[in-house]
Amino acid sequence: LEKKDIKNTMDLLSFYPRKYYDFSQTVTLSKEFHGKHVAIIGKLKKVDLSEKPHPHIPNQKFFIIKASVLQGDKYLNIVWFGQYYLYKQIQYWVDKEVIVGGELEYNETYNNYNMNTPFLISRDILGSTRVHTVYSDIKGISDEFIAKSIKTALDNYDMPDYLDEDMRCKLGLITQKEAYYTMHFPKEEDSLKKAHKRLIFDELLYFATQLEKNALDMPVGSSYGIKSLANTSRYISSLPYSLTNAQKNVLGEIKRQLLDGKRVNALVQGDVGCGKTTVAFACMMMMADSGYQSVLMAPTLVLAKQHYEELSKIASEMGYKVAFLAGKLKAKEKRELLSGIKDGTYQFIVGTHSVITAEYNNLAMVVEDEEHKFGVLQREALVKSSQNGIHTVTMSATPIPRSLAMTIYSRNTSIFTIDELPANRLPVKTVIKNDDASVFRGLHMELNHGRQAYVVCSLIEHSENTNLMQNVMSVKQIENIYRNEFPNNTIAVITGRTAKEEMEKTLDEFTKGNI
């Protein structure tokens, strides 16, 4: 249970079913129900058991159970694979009435009805005509045990409702306890909607009060104001392109807030390539100009490294130093970096969430790239470490409607959209393909023109925790496919588990165009 983060009663009650099958109404066998999960009642007429060699395990066999259920003049053919315990139970039910629930298949060629591994077969027809629940797999624990444990918890757990009856009536909500009962033991689909409504209300109310508390806890003003803009102006002048009007407007507004002594809490959003990073670097430069430190926090090591290398080139020309903090640093190297951050040797600190662990000399600004990928606690840990009003600039390539952004980031957030691309910037093309062949054709064409590609995978490897993603291929599986498809091209792989030295070498080779 603890592997699923179930450590107390509320954790257990919040372990909701992942699927519901509504078997509250039984149906007659008909091709109109093909492909749907239904329950039918009939007489069990035949149960056969056979053995076959296991397709994956040598010298092993697996059992196949075949049965048929007669309803009127129609037969339902049923197959189970590898469930010998079930055979021992249902072999005695022949000529008895049973209820069967699962996905019905109608075969037009043979005009017959089939069900593979039905979810339900029982002689308790009255007790089985209800909504059935399916939970995420927990190794060694059955759905029946989970349901029984939850029932015990609900029957014995005192759950006072923070909403009184008048307020519940006004809002059209059921009690919390009713909501939890219904989520696990629903009578019909309509009751599930009411339970969802109550639990969603609770989550949103908690979220809203936390946002309000955070907004009240954060200072409006800041003691980190602008004292100089000398190197910031040098940085902007040194750029090989002119800032767009959108970039100038964002920087101008942030500068105005800093000069007014306000705490900057800004969300800067815009398409990839619109120049958000340039704006962020300029903001950090304003802090360094004024004698303060700033942090740039990225969600991945690859992105953090990219920012570090880019910022290092700029900073060295201005006489500033940049520290790179990542989880896989050697102990001595990390000690030296942390010491330099603490004594103010470094004006810029770039890294992943490791930057939270550092002790700063005079941290004045936190820049977060793709901030929605960080946890809430990670997001706030740095900013809340000071009551002097640390400035926050968040970058996002994911467009967020203003009203939603105000809700998520609090009412004290300034929302800036960079809605124009720099001159001569090639447009970003987004194309959706539904088959590998057309993707490969496109990649071959780009590679033949001397260009490069990278492939993003959802999984490093499959495990029991990814049983809901069995149709998603792992990095290793994807790698094998691409090596077969592109035998004349150099392919490399990096994941979060790749050693730091190997990752840096691979990224360097990719940057040089050797991969």
Side-chain angles (χ1 to χ4, degrees):
L1 287 171
E2 284 189 357
K3 282 180 183 175
K4 290 281 184 183
D5 285 328
I6 301 172
K7 296 172 183 173
N8 56 48
T9 308
M10 280 310 298
D11 290 343
L12 181 65
L13 296 183
S14 301
F15 184 67
Y16 304 126
R18 64 181 176 88
K19 275 186 189 174
Y20 296 93
Y21 294 127
D22 188 359
F23 297 149
S24 56
Q25 302 293 322
T26 57
V27 301
T28 54
L29 285 171
S30 168
K31 59 184 178 184
E32 69 179 282
F33 297 115
H34 169 73
K36 294 179 180 175
H37 280 86
V38 295
I40 72 126
I41 297 171
K43 272 193 179 175
L44 187 65
K45 297 304 292 180
K46 182 182 72 171
V47 179
D48 292 328
L49 181 71
S50 60
E51 284 181 286
K52 283 197 173 181
H54 200 287
H56 304 301
I57 306 171
N59 305 318
Q60 286 276 347
K61 293 184 177 180
F62 74 106
F63 296 99
I64 300 174
I65 306 168
K66 291 184 178 178
S68 60
V69 171
L70 178 65
Q71 187 191 64
D73 59 351
K74 295 174 184 174
Y75 278 94
L76 172 66
N77 303 311
I78 308 169
V79 178
W80 289 272
F81 298 97
Q83 297 186 29
Y84 180 67
Y85 69 91
L86 189 66
Y87 173 75
K88 291 195 287 186
Q89 186 179 8
I90 67 172
Q91 64 176 320
Y92 302 109
W93 295 357
V94 175
D95 287 331
K96 305 278 194 315
E97 201 167 58
V98 294
I99 181 170
V100 183
E103 186 176 354
L104 185 67
E105 293 175 10
Y106 172 69
N107 188 313
E108 200 146 357
T109 307
Y110 298 102
N111 188 31
N112 64 8
Y113 298 91
N114 305 285
M115 214 177 257
N116 283 335
T117 317
F119 172 71
L120 164 73
I121 182 166
S122 175
R123 288 207 59 215
D124 179 13
I125 292 163
L126 200 61
S128 299
T129 47
R130 57 181 173 81
V131 178
H132 287 256
T133 54
V134 180
Y135 292 89
S136 295
D137 289 340
I138 301 179
K139 202 172 181 181
I141 295 179
S142 66
D143 277 13
E144 290 78 15
F145 180 82
I146 287 287
K148 186 180 175 184
S149 302
I150 289 168
K151 180 78 165 59
T152 304
L154 284 166
D155 289 346
N156 294 280
Y157 187 45
D158 182 30
M159 194 187 293
D161 203 319
Y162 66 89
L163 293 177
D164 61 33
E165 192 174 352
D166 287 347
M167 184 58 76
R168 288 199 303 272
C169 289
K170 184 180 175 183
L171 297 168
L173 298 171
I174 60 175
T175 66
Q176 271 189 323
K177 195 155 190 173
E178 281 178 281
Y180 282 107
Y181 252 114
T182 305
M183 288 298 290
H184 296 287
F185 308 103
K187 292 185 173 65
E188 74 284 314
E189 284 193 37
D190 280 350
S191 64
L192 262 177
K193 289 175 186 173
K194 290 177 183 176
H196 275 133
K197 184 181 176 183
R198 174 60 207 257
L199 294 172
I200 289 168
F201 175 88
D202 290 341
E203 286 190 20
L204 288 178
L205 181 62
Y206 176 76
F207 182 60
T209 53
Q210 287 300 305
L211 284 175
E212 191 67 19
K213 182 178 182 298
N214 290 346
L216 292 169
D217 286 349
M218 290 294 180
V220 177
S222 172
S223 60
Y224 303 113
I226 292 177
K227 296 173 185 173
S228 169
L229 289 170
N231 284 323
T232 307
S233 300
R234 274 182 64 199
Y235 162 59
I236 293 170
S237 300
S238 71
L239 293 169
Y241 50 83
S242 298
L243 295 181
T244 63
N245 287 328
Q247 287 174 306
K248 288 175 186 174
N249 291 339
V250 173
L251 271 174
E253 182 56 33
I254 289 173
K255 186 166 73 175
R256 188 187 63 76
Q257 290 182 19
L258 289 167
L259 288 169
D260 288 347
K262 292 180 179 175
R263 185 180 83 87
V264 173
N265 185 20
L267 167 65
V268 180
Q269 56 183 6
D271 278 341
V272 172
C274 73
K276 295 186 296 292
T277 306
T278 302
V279 169
F281 284 178
C283 290
M284 295 171 77
M285 201 66 70
M286 289 183 204
M287 294 298 102
D289 263 343
S290 304
Y292 304 126
Q293 291 174 307
S294 54
V295 161
L296 198 166
M297 186 160 60
T300 65
L301 190 61
V302 174
L303 189 55
K305 183 79 173 170
Q306 187 179 322
H307 284 317
Y308 167 69
E309 288 175 351
E310 199 175 335
L311 187 56
S312 293
K313 291 172 194 167
I314 299 159
S316 61
E317 292 172 15
M318 311 292 177
Y320 296 134
K321 296 190 74 175
V322 186
F324 182 61
L325 266 185
K328 293 186 178 179
L329 292 171
K330 289 177 181 172
K332 185 186 175 189
E333 189 182 355
K334 191 168 185 178
R335 272 198 310 273
E336 288 172 357
L337 277 175
L338 291 173
S339 175
I341 293 167
K342 187 177 178 181
D343 66 23
T345 301
Y346 295 101
Q347 291 75 36
F348 303 117
I349 298 89
V350 180
T352 55
H353 60 268
S354 302
V355 298
I356 294 167
T357 60
E359 192 177 336
Y360 295 88
N361 183 279
N362 51 4
L363 180 63
M365 178 174 283
V366 176
V367 177
E368 299 163 318
D369 194 359
E370 294 296 343
E371 178 265 3
H372 59 275
K373 294 178 183 175
F374 292 104
V376 175
L377 296 177
Q378 289 175 338
R379 183 188 311 158
E380 293 173 358
L382 282 170
V383 182
K384 281 196 172 178
S385 64
S386 167
Q387 290 305 307
N388 296 329
I390 290 179
H391 306 293
T392 307
V393 176
T394 297
M395 298 189 285
S396 178
T398 309
I400 304 168
R402 184 174 183 84
S403 56
L404 180 59
M406 292 293 280
T407 304
I408 295 170
Y409 295 101
S410 95
R411 62 176 186 269
N412 297 331
T413 305
S414 303
I415 298 156
F416 303 112
T417 302
I418 301 177
D419 52 7
E420 59 181 312
L421 292 173
N424 305 319
R425 180 67 63 114
L426 290 172
V428 176
K429 292 181 184 177
T430 303
V431 183
I432 297 171
K433 299 287 185 184
N434 294 319
D435 63 292
D436 285 347
S438 55
V439 172
F440 292 153
R441 276 197 301 274
L443 285 174
H444 278 297
M445 186 173 70
E446 296 296 335
L447 293 167
N448 289 339
H449 282 95
R451 299 187 182 114
Q452 293 164 288
Y454 64 86
V455 181
V456 182
C457 305
S458 304
L459 288 178
I460 295 178
E461 63 182 25
H462 286 282
S463 70
E464 68 170 274
N465 296 324
T466 53
N467 60 353
L468 299 181
M469 298 177 72
Q470 290 303 314
N471 294 329
V472 178
M473 284 191 281
S474 68
V475 171
K476 191 70 186 169
Q477 290 169 310
I478 294 285
E479 181 192 357
N480 291 335
I481 290 169
Y482 275 75
R483 287 196 187 283
N484 289 329
E485 180 66 30
F486 302 93
N488 301 320
N489 296 101
T490 307
I491 293 172
V493 173
I494 55 171
T495 72
R497 296 177 188 170
T498 306
K500 184 193 165 199
E501 293 79 10
E502 185 187 341
M503 182 179 285
E504 286 182 353
K505 185 181 173 186
T506 302
L507 290 173
D508 187 48
E509 289 295 301
F510 187 72
T511 304
K512 289 175 181 174
N514 297 331
I515 292 171

